[in-house]
């Protein structure tokens, strides 16, 4: 069963006691997919074709660039660029040389085509597909494993975006009674963590008052990062890493 294959990563993430275990899984997947994109996607025809068709979003272009494999990155962009140039010729053909729109063409339609050309990301698609499985596994473990529920009870819960995603999936995987129980647990943990973040962030701002400069920071030094990551998912500060085993 796929569940058995996916339970190990979910358990490993939970064992790290991260602010959000799903953010930890997503970060690990991103790193793996960046490495794969600069490896297999450069050499394997099917992967290269997929990159040509979709490309990568701004965030993942930055990560590809930061991986310091400029040749591999350039080879991917070279073929992706050729495909986009060919598509642009077709778009341009909707406008006649005399400056008139051909039959059936309109600017909103042309703009929508350009937007599609500028969208798509092989890394996002791969991460999203894996994360959908991990969320289902998370719910499966919550429903079937006493040990997992105990670990969940002792955890910090999940961030706001992953709370929303889990509740969406729970609506299809859990009974109405279990849905309510799980939703209450998710929301209670989220509320508790946001309350803690608010207190730490308040103290962080007050530490800049000269009257408090000699007072201890407590847990507030990373309050900004914690609050943003809780509200938007991991994007600031040290990554929520899961050690390789």
């Amino acid at each position: 069963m796929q569940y058995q294959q996916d339970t190990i990563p979910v358990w490993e993430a939970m064992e790290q006691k991260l602010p959000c275990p799903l953010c930890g899984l997503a970060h690990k997947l991103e790193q793996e997919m960046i490495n794969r994109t600069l490896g297999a996607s450069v050499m394997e025809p099917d992967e290269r074709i997929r990159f040509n068709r979709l490309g990568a979003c701004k965030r993942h272009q930055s990560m590809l660039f930061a991986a310091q494999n400029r040749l591999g990155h350039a080879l991917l962009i070279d073929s992706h660029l050729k495909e986009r140039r060919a598509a642009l010729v077709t778009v341009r053909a909707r406008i006649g040389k005399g400056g008139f729109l051909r039959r059936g063409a309109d600017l909103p339609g042309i703009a929508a085509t350009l937007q599609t050309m500028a969208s798509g990301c092989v890394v996002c698609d791969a991460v999203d597909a894996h994360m959908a499985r991990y969320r289902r596994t998370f719910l499966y473990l919550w429903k079937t494993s006493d040990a997992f529920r105990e670990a969940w009870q002792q955890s910090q819960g999940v961030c706001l975006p992953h709370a929303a995603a889990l509740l969406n999936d729970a609506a299809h995987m859990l009974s109405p009674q279990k849905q309510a129980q799980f939703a209450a647990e998710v929301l209670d943990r989220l509320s508790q963590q946001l309350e803690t973040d608010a207190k730490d962030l308040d103290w962080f701002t007050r530490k800049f008052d000269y009257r408090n400069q000699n007072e201890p920071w407590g847990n507030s030094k990373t309050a900004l990062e914690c609050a943003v990551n809780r509200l938007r998912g991991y994007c600031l500060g040290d990554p929520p890493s899961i050690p390789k085993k």
Side-chain angles (χ1 to χ4, degrees), residues 205-225:
T205 60
R206 290 197 287 125
K207 271 290 292 175
F208 288 84
D209 186 325
Y210 74 93
R211 291 169 295 184
N212 296 321
Q213 62 183 356
N214 294 322
E215 296 296 325
W217 282 90
N219 295 322
S220 70
K221 279 192 174 181
T222 58
L224 176 59
E225 297 95 312

Side-chain angles (χ1 to χ4, degrees), residues 89-124:
V89 170
T90 302
V91 175
R92 177 63 180 84
R94 300 182 195 177
I95 304 174
K97 291 183 179 179
F100 60 90
L101 291 171
R102 297 188 184 280
R103 184 186 299 274
D106 60 85
L107 286 187
I110 292 172
T113 300
L114 294 179
Q115 183 60 48
T116 299
M117 289 170 60
S119 304
C121 178
V122 292
V123 179
C124 284

Side-chain angles (χ1 to χ4, degrees), residues 19-193:
C20 175
L22 292 177
C23 280
L25 285 167
H27 176 72
K28 184 178 181 181
L29 282 170
E30 273 192 317
Q31 296 298 322
E32 291 173 351
M33 289 310 305
I34 290 296
N35 292 335
R36 176 173 173 76
T37 299
L38 288 171
S41 293
V42 175
M43 302 303 296
E44 295 178 11
D46 288 346
E47 294 293 332
R48 186 71 169 267
I49 290 170
R50 192 159 176 266
F51 191 94
N52 291 348
R53 178 170 56 85
L54 293 174
C57 66
K58 291 192 294 184
R59 168 178 165 77
H60 291 127
Q61 290 286 3
S62 295
M63 292 180 70
L64 288 168
F65 189 76
Q68 296 296 312
N69 182 351
R70 298 191 69 180
L71 175 58
H73 195 181
L75 289 170
L76 289 171
I77 297 303
D78 178 61
S79 52
H80 176 59
L81 181 61
K82 288 173 181 174
E83 184 155 316
R84 287 295 183 262
R85 288 181 65 199
L88 194 60
V89 170
T90 302
V91 175
R92 177 63 180 84
R94 300 182 195 177
I95 304 174
K97 291 183 179 179
F100 60 90
L101 291 171
R102 297 188 184 280
R103 184 186 299 274
D106 60 85
L107 286 187
I110 292 172
T113 300
L114 294 179
Q115 183 60 48
T116 299
M117 289 170 60
S119 304
C121 178
V122 292
V123 179
C124 284
D125 283 4
V127 170
D128 289 347
H130 279 83
M131 288 304 298
R133 289 209 322 270
Y134 286 152
R135 291 194 307 272
R136 291 193 294 270
T137 302
F138 187 104
L139 288 164
Y140 169 79
L141 288 169
W142 180 87
K143 184 169 62 173
T144 62
S145 170
D146 291 339
F148 187 84
R149 282 198 301 276
E150 183 177 348
W152 163 247
Q153 294 288 344
Q154 297 172 2
S155 75
Q156 298 179 51
V158 294
C159 67
L160 181 57
H162 282 130
L166 279 172
L167 294 188
N168 260 327
D169 291 338
H172 303 287
M173 286 189 62
L174 302 179
S175 67
Q177 182 179 359
K178 292 294 185 182
Q179 288 177 27
Q181 179 185 348
F182 182 71
E185 292 179 7
V186 169
L187 296 176
D188 287 348
R189 276 162 186 72
L190 183 58
S191 295
Q192 291 166 6
Q193 293 304 319

Side-chain angles (χ1 to χ4, degrees), residues 160 189-199 227 230-231:
L160 181 57
R189 276 162 186 72
L190 183 58
S191 295
Q192 291 166 6
Q193 293 304 319
L194 287 176
E195 182 179 356
T196 298
D197 292 338
K199 290 177 181 177
R230 193 94 57 197
L231 292 169

